[in-house]
Amino acid sequence: MATTNDIKNGTVLKLEGNLWSIIEFQHVKPGKGGAFVRTKMRNVTSGKVVDKTFNAGIKVETATVDRRDYQYLYQDGEDYVFMDTSDFDQLTVPGKIVGDNANFMLESMMVTIAIHEGSPLYIELPPSVTMEITYTEPGLQGDRSTGGTKPATIETGYEIQVPLFLEQGTKVKVDTRTGDYLGRVNE
């Protein structure tokens, strides 16, 4: 058990039988009345985001969540197999937990997996990854100006929007949270 004073981003609370991860929090002390904590929480299993307000100082139940780094090995049917690089234990994570993160996972990539009581809750990818464009329409002469975009398929088969001048085989940086093109990578 903890109090609302212990709440911070990333804390996982156990409320009404569900696990909720704190996305944002704000301690508010109005001029009149008691202080309170305003939070934005995400349901760990469903992904639903809700706003909840707690009175300051009340007890809340926290869940112990172990976040560890794993290396992505391969996909096995609907499941994904990861390896703990410290002891080489393998962990199989169901596809529904991996979700859209699969669009940005390449073999041997390092990810963080949150585990609660032996079962994986969610996967955190690095904020951006470098991917190679495997297919895109060729750009036309004069398409070097700003503004226009075209679809491009990256190594994982996911399609993103890139500037018109990029060609097949170009390495690009992609935001794993939104799927946005962040820039070209020169090697």
Side-chain angles (χ1 to χ4, degrees), residues 10-186:
T11 303
V12 178
L13 303 178
K14 205 182 263 189
L15 299 171
E16 300 154 8
N18 291 320
L19 295 178
W20 298 85
S21 178
I22 302 293
I23 303 170
E24 293 176 17
F25 73 99
Q26 180 182 18
H27 290 277
V28 180
K29 189 166 183 175
K32 184 177 177 186
F36 58 91
V37 179
R38 187 178 292 137
T39 63
K40 185 178 277 191
M41 306 185 301
R42 175 182 289 123
N43 186 313
V44 171
T45 50
S46 71
K48 180 180 175 185
V49 176
V50 298
D51 295 325
K52 186 160 176 69
T53 303
F54 298 96
N55 290 331
I58 67 164
K59 299 257 186 233
V60 289
E61 188 177 356
T62 58
T64 54
V65 174
D66 185 23
R67 288 181 174 87
R68 294 170 70 190
D69 289 336
Y70 283 83
Q71 183 178 29
Y72 172 52
L73 296 179
Y74 58 91
Q75 184 175 358
D76 183 19
E78 292 291 314
D79 299 334
Y80 294 81
V81 180
F82 297 87
M83 178 181 66
D84 187 340
T85 53
S86 60
D87 59 10
F88 304 108
D89 281 348
Q90 291 189 2
L91 175 70
T92 301
V93 178
K96 69 179 183 106
I97 292 175
V98 174
D100 290 340
N101 289 331
N103 295 328
F104 308 107
M105 287 188 337
L106 291 174
E107 290 180 6
S108 77
M109 173 187 260
M110 295 301 292
V111 299
T112 303
I113 301 179
I115 299 171
H116 173 65
E117 295 176 355
S119 61
L121 298 175
Y122 58 89
I123 291 179
E124 294 174 359
L125 295 179
S128 65
V129 292
T130 300
M131 296 277 177
E132 185 175 327
I133 296 175
T134 56
Y135 177 77
T136 188
E137 294 292 328
L140 301 172
Q141 189 65 28
D143 281 345
R144 307 282 186 256
S145 64
T146 60
T149 61
K150 62 181 179 179
T153 306
I154 56 176
E155 292 173 78
T156 59
Y158 187 68
E159 194 172 272
I160 61 171
Q161 292 294 318
V162 298
L164 295 170
F165 61 85
L166 289 181
E167 298 171 356
Q168 195 167 312
T170 306
K171 289 195 181 279
V172 294
K173 190 176 254 189
V174 181
D175 187 325
T176 58
R177 297 167 298 228
T178 61
D180 292 341
Y181 163 82
L182 295 176
R184 191 169 28 176
V185 176
N186 296 324

